[in-house]
């Protein structure tokens, strides 16, 4: 049946039309599928403890890992620097995936180029791809810096990025003094947070070379880590400004990932200036706002720059207090009264919502720093973590998480599930249900199966708009976290009490 051009239907309604229903029914004869009763029987069995034991026994298969691969984190770090074009030494399909993944989260165009390695490069190496790719990128897109990372193909065949970049400069692809930092980011090891760390170290080592001075510039450096909330970069800049602090944010991608619509496309929105990044070697200290996505970078800063570093993860009251006290300690500046008032408002908001979150059992998945911070905040609210799943876990994270859980009476019954995936989480939620789940968009399939409400916190969030624009750090971030959590619980209460004369005895106007 032809569609009426004056009434175009969204796919939500379109595929329920009779012709599509018939089309899907006709397809079944070619699919060799089981009858509906058998599908339903097996689906019910997958909710059991028997299936959970078999699910957790698998070793050779991963189903929906709660992580991404290294190059995604690398190009995310790169765009935080002024005029920087990410360049991926690998196949076109890989970089297209990274760009589309970030674009779907931010609803913003994400620029990145590829050396478009194919079968020839897999046999003979990707040197010529690098020479041609850097030349084309420099001439077409006019960047101030090109940051190079790799995919699996380039790593498997052993492409030497430093040698390739030197050869490309000798061939005239880019000027000799043009900055081309690089990072080896094989996708078959590590994750997106490893890629972020590798690229951040590569960029800083390139830009700061030869810029060490005898005296400090009096600044404090902040490294956000793989933090996908653009509101957090703006919040840390606001906090620093309230202090009157001279600082450098390494790297500030907030305008790149949340640029104003002025009617003209700007390929390189405002970001950390290259000269400021070069001078970061002369700062008083560097504060990382994440730990596990900045490990190699902090080691490099301490060893090569001879500069002290600290990790302050300003989520919740305790984490924010620690950051403000560290800034005050390093700078000698008092904590501004405005921030003290914000703390009071955050505590007041926590008091308002406390009775609704206290005692609630929750499960969570995500990368190490995010999970640590959210669990810390939830413990402050009296919520009880049950399942803590981190696919890209490590020994350091597990030790610090166990210490955090032991510090609160609400964390004593939690179980860590390192290296597990979201299909494992599904079994956990069926066999040991919780009151709510915290995670990214991929958790919506768990919500659909288990009916356990999902609080969307993390990356990516592709099925809801604008959450990435908010802050989750600082005292103002606390109110946003409260908002998302407690109102998700209220929505669930309303869903469970909305049948007139049956369940609506608590279908209330006031919560």
């Amino acid at each position: 049946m032809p569609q009426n051009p004056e009434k175009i239907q969204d796919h939500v309604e379109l595929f329920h039309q009779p012709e599509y229903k018939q089309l899907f029914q006709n397809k079944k004869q070619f699919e060799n599928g089981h009858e509906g009763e058998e599908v339903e029987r097996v689906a019910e069995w997958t909710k059991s403890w028997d299936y959970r034991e078999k699910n957790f026994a698998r070793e050779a298969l991963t189903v929906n890992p709660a992580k991404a691969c290294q190059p995604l984190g690398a190009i995310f770090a790169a765009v935080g620097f002024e005029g920087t074009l990410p360049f991926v030494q690998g196949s076109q399909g890989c970089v297209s995936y990274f760009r589309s993944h970030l674009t779907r989260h931010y609803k913003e165009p994400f620029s990145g180029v590829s050396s478009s390695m194919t079968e020839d490069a897999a046999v003979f190496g990707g040197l010529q791809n690098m020479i041609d790719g850097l030349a084309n990128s420099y001439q077409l897109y006019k960047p101030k810096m090109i940051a190079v990372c790799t995919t699996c193909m380039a790593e498997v065949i052993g492409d030497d990025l430093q040698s390739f970049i030197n050869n490309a400069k000798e061939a005239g692809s880019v000027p000799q003094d043009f900055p081309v930092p690089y990072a080896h980011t094989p996708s078959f090891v590590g994750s997106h947070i490893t890629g972020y760390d590798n690229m951040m170290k590569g960029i800083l080592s390139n830009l700061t070379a030869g810029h060490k001075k005898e005296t400090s510039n009096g600044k404090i450096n902040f490294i956000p880590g793989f933090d996908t909330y653009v509101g957090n970069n703006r919040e840390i800049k606001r906090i620093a400004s309230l202090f009157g602090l001279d600082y450098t944010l390494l790297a500030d991608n907030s305008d790149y990932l949340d640029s104003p619509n002025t009617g003209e496309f700007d390929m390189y929105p405002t970001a950390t200036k290259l000269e400021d990044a070069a001078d970061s070697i002369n700062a008083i200290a560097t504060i990382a706002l994440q730990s596990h996505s900045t490990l190699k970078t902090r080691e490099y800063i301490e060893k090569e720059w001879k500069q002290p570093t600290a990790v302050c993860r300003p989520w919740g009251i305790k984490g924010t207090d620690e950051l403000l006290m560290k800034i005050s300690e390093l700078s000698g500046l008092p904590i501004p009264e405005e921030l003290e008032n914000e703390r009071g408002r955050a505590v007041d908001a926590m008091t308002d919502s406390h009775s609704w979150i206290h005692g609630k059992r929750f499960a969570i998945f995500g990368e190490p720093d995010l999970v640590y911070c959210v669990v810390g905040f939830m413990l402050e609210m009296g919520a009880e973590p049950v399942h803590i799943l981190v696919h890209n876990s490590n020994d350091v994270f597990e030790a610090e998480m166990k210490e955090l859980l032991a510090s609160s009476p609400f964390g004593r019954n939690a179980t860590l599930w390192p290296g597990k995936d979201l299909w494992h989480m599904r079994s956990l939620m069926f066999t040991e249900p919780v009151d709510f789940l915290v995670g990214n968009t991929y958790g919506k399939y768990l919500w659909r199966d288990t009916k356990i409400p999902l609080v969307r916190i993390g990356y990516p969030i592709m099925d809801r708009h604008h959450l990435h624009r908010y802050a989750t750090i600082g005292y103002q971030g606390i109110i946003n976290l409260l908002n998302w959590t407690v109102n998700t619980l209220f929505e669930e209460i309303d869903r469970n009490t909305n049948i007139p004369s049956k369940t609506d005895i608590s279908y209330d106007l006031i919560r």
Side-chain angles (χ1 to χ4, degrees), residues 39-243:
V39 172
E40 191 171 323
R41 184 192 69 80
V42 174
E44 195 63 29
W45 172 63
T46 64
K47 304 174 184 179
S48 67
W49 278 91
D50 179 51
Y51 180 81
R52 169 173 162 169
E53 292 176 2
K54 291 178 171 57
N55 187 13
F56 275 73
R58 61 182 161 92
E59 297 178 355
L61 174 68
T62 296
V63 183
N64 205 354
K67 68 180 182 69
C69 54
Q70 282 205 53
L72 183 139
I75 65 174
F76 178 83
V79 299
F81 293 92
E82 174 190 24
T84 298
L85 179 67
F87 182 108
V88 183
Q89 176 77 345
S91 67
Q92 183 66 44
C94 288
V95 71
S96 297
Y97 164 72
F98 308 140
R99 290 169 54 190
S100 66
H101 207 261
L102 289 159
T103 295
R104 288 167 180 168
H105 175 81
Y106 288 105
K107 310 298 186 281
E108 294 279 352
F110 194 101
S111 300
V113 297
S114 165
S115 59
S116 299
M117 294 171 65
T118 56
E119 291 86 349
D120 290 349
V123 175
F124 301 110
L127 174 58
Q128 194 58 49
N129 296 71
M130 176 73 74
I131 293 172
D132 294 341
L134 287 180
N136 291 338
S137 300
Y138 181 73
Q139 294 296 329
L140 287 174
Y141 303 118
K142 305 295 188 296
K144 292 186 176 182
M145 181 169 75
I146 298 175
V148 178
C149 63
T150 54
T151 65
C152 296
M153 179 189 290
E155 291 294 328
V156 168
I157 64 178
D159 281 359
D160 184 343
L161 292 186
Q162 181 64 75
S163 175
F164 282 15
I165 292 168
N166 290 342
N167 287 333
K169 287 188 173 184
E170 290 175 5
S173 297
V174 296
Q176 285 289 343
D177 61 350
F178 185 81
V180 186
Y182 67 89
H184 286 278
T185 53
S187 299
F188 44 79
V189 295
S191 66
H192 56 291
I193 64 172
T194 319
Y196 177 95
D197 195 12
N198 287 335
M199 180 56 80
M200 187 62 65
K201 176 187 173 184
I203 290 174
L204 293 180
S205 61
N206 180 286
L207 293 178
T208 60
H211 287 272
K212 183 67 173 177
K213 297 178 181 178
E214 293 296 326
T215 58
S216 168
N217 61 19
K219 295 183 177 182
I220 294 177
N221 300 324
F222 294 99
I223 303 178
F226 189 87
D227 186 335
T228 54
Y229 289 90
V230 295
N232 285 346
N233 283 356
R234 291 168 181 157
E235 181 64 8
I236 197 66
K237 289 188 288 186
R238 187 184 71 88
I239 289 173
S241 297
L242 289 173
F243 268 97

Side-chain angles (χ1 to χ4, degrees), residues 359-377:
K360 291 291 190 295
R361 292 158 43 89
F362 72 96
I364 184 171
F365 67 91
E367 59 256 14
D369 284 296
L370 178 86
V371 168
Y372 181 88
C373 292
V374 174
V375 169
F377 165 74

Side-chain angles (χ1 to χ4, degrees), residues 193-305:
I193 64 172
T194 319
Y196 177 95
D197 195 12
N198 287 335
M199 180 56 80
M200 187 62 65
K201 176 187 173 184
I203 290 174
L204 293 180
S205 61
N206 180 286
L207 293 178
T208 60
H211 287 272
K212 183 67 173 177
K213 297 178 181 178
E214 293 296 326
T215 58
S216 168
N217 61 19
K219 295 183 177 182
I220 294 177
N221 300 324
F222 294 99
I223 303 178
F226 189 87
D227 186 335
T228 54
Y229 289 90
V230 295
N232 285 346
N233 283 356
R234 291 168 181 157
E235 181 64 8
I236 197 66
K237 289 188 288 186
R238 187 184 71 88
I239 289 173
S241 297
L242 289 173
F243 268 97
L245 185 69
D246 202 0
Y247 69 95
T248 302
L249 187 58
L250 302 168
D252 185 4
N253 55 21
S254 51
D255 284 349
Y256 187 97
L257 299 169
D258 185 25
S259 57
N261 189 340
T262 62
E264 294 184 7
F265 174 65
D266 183 1
M267 191 168 182
Y268 305 110
T270 303
T272 302
K273 292 185 179 298
L274 300 187
E275 55 265 33
D276 289 341
D279 193 39
S280 63
I281 192 173
N282 299 307
I284 299 171
T286 294
I287 298 176
L289 305 183
Q290 290 187 354
S291 174
H292 301 281
S293 63
T294 62
L295 178 62
K296 293 180 181 178
T297 303
R298 287 184 286 114
E299 290 177 346
Y300 166 78
I301 290 172
E302 291 173 358
K303 180 180 179 181
E304 300 298 330
W305 296 5

